[in-house]
């Protein structure tokens, strides 16, 4: 009986850890004064995928570095809808809580304050 319980616990833990994490939220782009939906999916093999359903584009985020404050920097590669979205933006993610249920999202072409591509918002872990 103990072996069955242990097997169930191991299977359950493996199953839970194998699930993709999906974050959703609204982001705001000042250059066009527009808010739109963003969906970030972190796969169980640690790939970061981004989808902008309102803009009809999506892509992948390639990890660049993590800074001393915990900001994760990525290079955005738009793979679908390049005619609708700018390719190659820098994307920064920062977990706002220890449970990683909220992530701050920022995308920009440059660090200049007047960057028209700057897009910011908070994404929340989707609970099934």
């Amino acid at each position: 009986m103990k072996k069955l319980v242990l097997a169930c616990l191991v299977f359950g833990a493996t199953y839970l850890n194998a699930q993709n994490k999906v974050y959703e939220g609204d982001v705001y782009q000042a250059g066009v004064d527009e808010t739109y939906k963003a969906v970030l999916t972190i796969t169980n093999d640690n790939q970061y995928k981004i989808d902008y359903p309102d803009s009809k584009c999506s892509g992948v985020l390639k990890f660049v570095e993590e800074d001393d404050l915990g900001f994760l920097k990525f290079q955005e590669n738009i793979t679908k809808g390049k005619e609708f979205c700018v390719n190659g933006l820098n994307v920064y993610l920062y977990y706002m809580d220890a449970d990683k249920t909220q992530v701050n999202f920022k995308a920009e072409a440059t660090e200049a304050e007047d960057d028209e591509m700057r897009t910011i918002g908070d994404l929340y872990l989707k609970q099934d």
Side-chain angles (χ1 to χ4, degrees):
M1 181 66 165
K2 287 182 182 179
K3 288 183 180 179
L4 178 61
V5 170
L6 181 61
C8 289
L9 289 173
V10 169
F11 174 77
T14 302
Y15 177 77
L16 288 174
N17 287 333
Q19 298 298 308
N20 293 339
K21 293 182 180 177
V22 179
Y23 294 83
E24 295 179 341
D26 292 328
V27 294
Y28 175 75
Q29 187 175 8
V32 292
D33 192 25
E34 188 174 330
T35 299
Y36 50 93
K37 184 176 182 177
V39 180
L40 171 69
T41 302
I42 305 171
T43 66
N44 58 358
D45 58 350
N46 211 32
Q47 292 183 32
Y48 287 66
K49 299 179 179 182
I50 192 71
D51 184 28
Y52 305 105
D54 299 334
S55 300
K56 300 176 183 163
C57 59
S58 59
V60 294
L61 302 178
K62 181 182 175 192
F63 180 75
V64 175
E65 67 183 355
E66 179 177 2
D67 72 12
D68 294 340
L69 299 175
F71 285 88
L72 304 175
K73 180 180 180 181
F74 297 85
Q75 185 76 39
E76 185 178 59
N77 179 21
I78 298 297
T79 56
K80 178 183 172 190
K82 288 183 180 181
E83 64 273 23
F84 304 113
C85 290
V86 175
N87 189 35
L89 296 179
N90 297 312
V91 172
Y92 301 89
L93 303 176
Y94 181 79
Y95 290 105
M96 302 297 290
D97 60 340
D99 294 333
K100 296 185 176 181
T101 60
Q102 180 182 357
V103 63
N104 181 260
F105 174 94
K106 179 172 82 169
E108 61 188 10
T110 69
E111 294 183 14
E113 288 298 319
D114 61 348
D115 186 344
E116 290 190 11
M117 293 293 111
R118 179 165 292 131
T119 305
I120 57 171
D122 290 327
L123 309 178
Y124 300 89
L125 183 62
K126 184 177 175 186
Q127 303 293 332
D128 292 327

